[in-house]
CSV table of all heavy atoms in Angstrom, one decimal:
chain,number,residue,atom,x,y,z
L,238,LEU,N,96.6,96.0,112.1
L,238,LEU,CA,97.3,96.9,111.1
L,238,LEU,C,98.8,97.0,111.4
L,238,LEU,O,99.6,97.0,110.4
L,238,LEU,CB,96.7,98.5,111.5
L,238,LEU,CG,97.3,99.6,110.6
L,238,LEU,CD1,97.1,99.5,109.1
L,238,LEU,CD2,96.8,100.9,111.0
L,239,VAL,N,99.2,97.0,112.6
L,239,VAL,CA,100.6,97.0,112.8
L,239,VAL,C,101.3,95.7,112.5
L,239,VAL,O,102.4,95.8,112.0
L,239,VAL,CB,100.9,97.4,114.3
L,239,VAL,CG1,102.4,97.3,114.7
L,239,VAL,CG2,100.4,98.7,114.8
L,240,GLY,N,100.6,94.6,112.7
L,240,GLY,CA,101.2,93.4,112.2
L,240,GLY,C,101.3,93.2,110.8
L,240,GLY,O,102.3,92.6,110.3
L,241,GLY,N,100.4,93.8,110.0
L,241,GLY,CA,100.4,93.8,108.6
L,241,GLY,C,101.7,94.6,108.0
L,241,GLY,O,102.3,94.4,107.1
L,242,ILE,N,101.8,95.8,108.8
L,242,ILE,CA,103.0,96.6,108.5
L,242,ILE,C,104.2,96.0,108.7
L,242,ILE,O,105.3,96.1,107.9
L,242,ILE,CB,102.9,98.1,109.1
L,242,ILE,CG1,101.7,98.8,108.7
L,242,ILE,CG2,104.3,98.8,109.0
L,242,ILE,CD1,101.4,100.0,109.6
L,243,CYS,N,104.5,95.1,109.7
L,243,CYS,CA,105.6,94.4,110.2
L,243,CYS,C,105.9,93.3,109.3
L,243,CYS,O,107.0,92.6,109.5
L,243,CYS,CB,105.7,94.1,111.5
L,243,CYS,SG,105.6,95.5,112.8
L,244,TYR,N,105.0,92.9,108.4
L,244,TYR,CA,105.2,91.6,107.7
L,244,TYR,C,106.4,91.7,106.8
L,244,TYR,O,107.3,90.7,106.8
L,244,TYR,CB,103.9,91.3,106.7
L,244,TYR,CG,104.1,90.1,105.9
L,244,TYR,CD1,104.2,88.9,106.5
L,244,TYR,CD2,104.4,90.2,104.5
L,244,TYR,CE1,104.3,87.7,105.6
L,244,TYR,CE2,104.6,89.2,103.7
L,244,TYR,CZ,104.4,87.9,104.3
L,244,TYR,OH,104.6,86.8,103.4
L,245,PHE,N,106.6,92.6,106.0
L,245,PHE,CA,107.8,92.7,105.1
L,245,PHE,C,109.0,92.9,105.7
L,245,PHE,O,110.0,92.3,105.4
L,245,PHE,CB,107.4,93.8,104.1
L,245,PHE,CG,106.4,93.6,103.1
L,245,PHE,CD1,105.2,94.2,103.2
L,245,PHE,CD2,106.6,92.6,102.0
L,245,PHE,CE1,104.2,94.0,102.5
L,245,PHE,CE2,105.5,92.3,101.2
L,245,PHE,CZ,104.3,93.0,101.4
L,246,PRO,N,109.2,93.7,106.9
L,246,PRO,CA,110.5,93.8,107.6
L,246,PRO,C,110.7,92.3,108.2
L,246,PRO,O,111.9,91.9,108.3
L,246,PRO,CB,110.3,94.8,108.5
L,246,PRO,CG,109.3,95.6,108.1
L,246,PRO,CD,108.4,94.8,107.3
L,247,PHE,N,109.5,91.7,108.7
L,247,PHE,CA,109.9,90.4,109.3
L,247,PHE,C,110.3,89.2,108.2
L,247,PHE,O,111.3,88.5,108.6
L,247,PHE,CB,108.5,89.9,109.8
L,247,PHE,CG,108.4,88.5,110.3
L,247,PHE,CD1,109.3,88.0,111.4
L,247,PHE,CD2,107.6,87.5,109.8
L,247,PHE,CE1,109.2,86.7,111.8
L,247,PHE,CE2,107.5,86.2,110.2
L,247,PHE,CZ,108.3,85.9,111.2
L,248,THR,N,109.8,89.3,107.1
L,248,THR,CA,110.3,88.3,106.1
L,248,THR,C,111.7,88.6,105.7
L,248,THR,O,112.4,87.7,105.3
L,248,THR,CB,109.3,88.3,104.8
L,248,THR,OG1,109.2,89.6,104.5
L,248,THR,CG2,108.0,87.8,105.2
L,249,SER,N,112.1,89.9,105.7
L,249,SER,CA,113.5,90.3,105.3
L,249,SER,C,114.5,89.8,106.4
L,249,SER,O,115.8,89.7,106.0
L,249,SER,CB,113.6,91.7,105.1
L,249,SER,OG,113.3,92.4,106.1
L,250,ALA,N,114.1,89.7,107.6
L,250,ALA,CA,115.0,89.2,108.6
L,250,ALA,C,115.1,87.8,108.8
L,250,ALA,O,115.9,87.3,109.7
L,250,ALA,CB,114.5,89.8,110.0
L,251,LEU,N,114.5,87.0,108.0
L,251,LEU,CA,114.6,85.5,108.1
L,251,LEU,C,115.8,85.0,107.5
L,251,LEU,O,116.4,85.5,106.4
L,251,LEU,CB,113.2,84.9,107.5
L,251,LEU,CG,111.9,85.4,108.1
L,251,LEU,CD1,110.7,84.8,107.4
L,251,LEU,CD2,111.9,85.1,109.5
L,252,ILE,N,116.1,83.8,107.7
L,252,ILE,CA,117.2,83.0,107.1
L,252,ILE,C,116.7,81.8,106.5
L,252,ILE,O,115.8,81.1,107.0
L,252,ILE,CB,118.3,82.7,108.2
L,252,ILE,CG1,117.8,81.8,109.3
L,252,ILE,CG2,118.8,83.9,108.9
L,252,ILE,CD1,118.9,81.3,110.2
L,253,LEU,N,117.5,81.4,105.4
L,253,LEU,CA,117.1,80.1,104.7
L,253,LEU,C,118.1,79.0,104.9
L,253,LEU,O,117.8,77.8,104.7
L,253,LEU,CB,117.2,80.5,103.2
L,253,LEU,CG,116.1,81.3,102.6
L,253,LEU,CD1,116.4,81.8,101.2
L,253,LEU,CD2,114.8,80.7,102.7
L,254,SER,N,119.2,79.4,105.5
L,254,SER,CA,120.2,78.3,105.8
L,254,SER,C,119.9,77.6,107.0
L,254,SER,O,119.2,78.1,108.0
L,254,SER,CB,121.6,78.9,105.9
L,254,SER,OG,121.6,79.8,107.1
L,255,VAL,N,120.3,76.4,107.2
L,255,VAL,CA,120.1,75.5,108.4
L,255,VAL,C,121.3,75.5,109.4
L,255,VAL,O,122.3,75.1,108.8
L,255,VAL,CB,119.7,74.0,107.9
L,255,VAL,CG1,119.6,73.2,109.1
L,255,VAL,CG2,118.6,74.0,107.1
L,256,GLU,N,121.1,76.2,110.5
L,256,GLU,CA,122.3,76.4,111.4
L,256,GLU,C,122.4,75.0,112.1
L,256,GLU,O,121.5,74.3,112.5
L,256,GLU,CB,121.9,77.4,112.4
L,256,GLU,CG,121.8,78.8,111.8
L,256,GLU,CD,123.1,79.3,111.2
L,256,GLU,OE1,124.2,79.0,111.8
L,256,GLU,OE2,123.0,79.8,110.1
L,257,PRO,N,123.8,74.6,112.2
L,257,PRO,CA,124.0,73.4,113.0
L,257,PRO,C,123.7,73.5,114.5
L,257,PRO,O,123.8,74.6,115.0
L,257,PRO,CB,125.5,73.1,112.6
L,257,PRO,CG,126.0,74.4,112.5
L,257,PRO,CD,125.0,75.2,111.7
L,258,THR,N,123.6,72.5,115.3
L,258,THR,CA,123.5,72.4,116.6
L,258,THR,C,124.7,73.1,117.3
L,258,THR,O,125.8,72.6,117.0
L,258,THR,CB,123.2,71.0,117.3
L,258,THR,OG1,122.1,70.5,116.4
L,258,THR,CG2,122.8,71.1,118.6
L,259,PRO,N,124.6,74.2,118.2
L,259,PRO,CA,125.8,74.7,118.8
L,259,PRO,C,126.7,73.7,119.4
L,259,PRO,O,127.9,73.8,119.4
L,259,PRO,CB,125.3,75.7,119.8
L,259,PRO,CG,123.8,76.0,119.3
L,259,PRO,CD,123.4,74.7,118.7
L,260,THR,N,126.3,72.6,120.1
L,260,THR,CA,127.2,71.8,120.8
L,260,THR,C,127.6,70.7,119.9
L,260,THR,O,128.3,69.8,120.5
L,260,THR,CB,126.4,71.2,122.1
L,260,THR,OG1,125.2,70.5,121.6
L,260,THR,CG2,126.0,72.3,122.9
L,261,SER,N,127.0,70.5,118.8
L,261,SER,CA,127.6,69.4,118.0
L,261,SER,C,128.9,69.7,117.3
L,261,SER,O,129.5,70.7,117.3
L,261,SER,CB,126.6,69.1,116.8
L,261,SER,OG,126.5,70.2,115.8
L,262,PRO,N,129.7,68.7,116.8
L,262,PRO,CA,131.1,69.0,116.2
L,262,PRO,C,130.9,70.0,115.0
L,262,PRO,O,131.7,70.8,114.8
L,262,PRO,CB,131.4,67.5,115.7
L,262,PRO,CG,130.9,66.5,116.6
L,262,PRO,CD,129.4,67.1,116.9
L,263,SER,N,129.8,69.8,114.3
L,263,SER,CA,129.6,70.8,113.2
L,263,SER,C,129.5,72.2,113.7
L,263,SER,O,130.1,73.0,113.1
L,263,SER,CB,128.4,70.4,112.3
L,263,SER,OG,128.2,71.3,111.3
L,264,GLY,N,128.6,72.3,114.7
L,264,GLY,CA,128.5,73.6,115.3
L,264,GLY,C,129.7,74.1,115.9
L,264,GLY,O,130.0,75.5,115.7
L,265,VAL,N,130.6,73.3,116.7
L,265,VAL,CA,131.9,73.8,117.2
L,265,VAL,C,132.8,74.3,116.0
L,265,VAL,O,133.5,75.3,116.1
L,265,VAL,CB,132.4,72.8,118.1
L,265,VAL,CG1,133.9,73.2,118.6
L,265,VAL,CG2,131.5,72.5,119.2
L,266,ALA,N,132.9,73.4,115.0
L,266,ALA,CA,133.8,73.8,113.9
L,266,ALA,C,133.3,75.1,113.2
L,266,ALA,O,134.1,75.9,112.8
L,266,ALA,CB,133.8,72.6,112.9
L,267,HIS,N,132.0,75.2,113.1
L,267,HIS,CA,131.5,76.6,112.5
L,267,HIS,C,131.8,77.7,113.3
L,267,HIS,O,132.1,78.8,112.7
L,267,HIS,CB,129.9,76.3,112.3
L,267,HIS,CG,129.2,77.6,111.7
L,267,HIS,ND1,129.4,77.8,110.3
L,267,HIS,CD2,128.6,78.5,112.1
L,267,HIS,CE1,128.6,78.9,110.0
L,267,HIS,NE2,128.2,79.3,111.2
L,268,ARG,N,131.8,77.6,114.6
L,268,ARG,CA,132.0,78.8,115.5
L,268,ARG,C,133.5,79.0,115.4
L,268,ARG,O,133.9,80.3,115.3
L,268,ARG,CB,131.4,78.4,116.8
L,268,ARG,CG,131.7,79.6,117.9
L,268,ARG,CD,131.1,79.3,119.1
L,268,ARG,NE,131.6,78.1,119.8
L,268,ARG,CZ,131.1,76.9,120.0
L,268,ARG,NH1,129.9,76.9,119.3
L,268,ARG,NH2,131.7,75.8,120.5
L,269,ILE,N,134.4,78.1,115.4
L,269,ILE,CA,135.7,78.3,115.4
L,269,ILE,C,136.2,78.8,114.0
L,269,ILE,O,137.0,79.8,113.9
L,269,ILE,CB,136.5,77.0,115.6
L,269,ILE,CG1,136.3,76.5,117.1
L,269,ILE,CG2,138.1,77.2,115.4
L,269,ILE,CD1,136.9,75.1,117.5
L,270,TYR,N,135.6,78.4,113.0
L,270,TYR,CA,135.9,78.9,111.6
L,270,TYR,C,135.6,80.4,111.5
L,270,TYR,O,136.2,81.3,110.9
L,270,TYR,CB,135.1,78.2,110.5
L,270,TYR,CG,135.5,78.6,109.0
L,270,TYR,CD1,136.4,78.1,108.4
L,270,TYR,CD2,134.7,79.5,108.5
L,270,TYR,CE1,136.7,78.6,107.1
L,270,TYR,CE2,134.9,79.8,107.2
L,270,TYR,CZ,135.9,79.4,106.5
L,270,TYR,OH,136.2,79.9,105.3
L,271,ALA,N,134.4,80.7,112.1
L,271,ALA,CA,133.9,82.1,112.0
L,271,ALA,C,134.8,83.0,112.9
L,271,ALA,O,134.9,84.4,112.6
L,271,ALA,CB,132.5,82.2,112.6
Side-chain angles (χ1 to χ4, degrees):
L238 179 63
V239 177
I242 295 174
C243 293
Y244 174 76
F245 292 103
F247 170 62
T248 54
S249 63
L251 304 177
I252 62 170
L253 290 171
S254 59
V255 179
E256 296 294 324
T258 305
T260 57
S261 65
S263 177
V265 174
H267 182 76
R268 186 171 60 254
I269 296 175
Y270 182 87

